[in-house]
Amino acid sequence: IVHEARDSKQTLTCCKFSADGNSLAFGSMDRCVYVYNVGDFASKAKARGHKGPVCNIDFGRVFGTNNAVFIMSNSDVGEVLFWDIETGEQQTPRNQRDTEWETQ
């Protein structure tokens, strides 16, 4: 075990590293997305707003750059929400026009 965090009291449902290797995100049954810095495992953001457990995470970057700046997450009730990777603030779909998603 490299690091143990106890930010969520509920089961983690998904996990993904960003392609740039700088961030690690977890989705949880508590309807949140937790984002950590890979270098020191410091908490970067907690994204709250889903109405159901998070079941999928994807990292996105602005077209032409290498650093992940957004997260897209899906819940088991069919929501697709977008988040700023540094603050956890919810973003509008309109702001995602120039975003390249890692799973595209």
Side-chain angles (χ1 to χ4, degrees):
I1 295 175
V2 175
H3 179 72
E4 181 177 333
R6 297 178 186 259
D7 295 326
S8 178
K9 305 286 187 253
Q10 297 195 22
T11 305
L12 299 177
T13 55
C14 54
C15 171
K16 187 164 186 179
F17 282 94
S18 62
D20 62 16
N22 294 325
S23 300
L24 173 63
F26 294 95
S28 176
M29 291 292 288
D30 67 3
R31 304 177 309 228
C32 295
V33 175
Y34 298 88
V35 185
Y36 298 91
N37 179 15
V38 171
D40 60 3
F41 295 103
S43 178
K44 289 173 79 168
K46 179 179 180 181
R48 300 178 185 105
H50 277 291
K51 294 179 182 157
V54 178
C55 57
N56 189 40
I57 299 169
D58 196 11
F59 285 93
R61 59 187 174 270
V62 176
F63 184 75
T65 67
N66 291 327
N67 295 334
V69 293
F70 297 114
I71 290 179
M72 174 175 56
S73 58
N74 306 54
S75 73
D76 71 349
V77 296
E79 299 170 295
V80 177
L81 298 178
F82 303 96
W83 314 96
D84 181 287
I85 196 172
E86 297 294 331
T87 65
E89 290 181 19
Q90 191 170 347
Q91 304 294 302
T92 63
R94 184 178 188 177
N95 290 349
Q96 306 308 312
R97 277 189 220 166
D98 295 326
T99 302
E100 250 184 315
W101 298 102
E102 293 180 2
T103 57
Q104 280 183 340

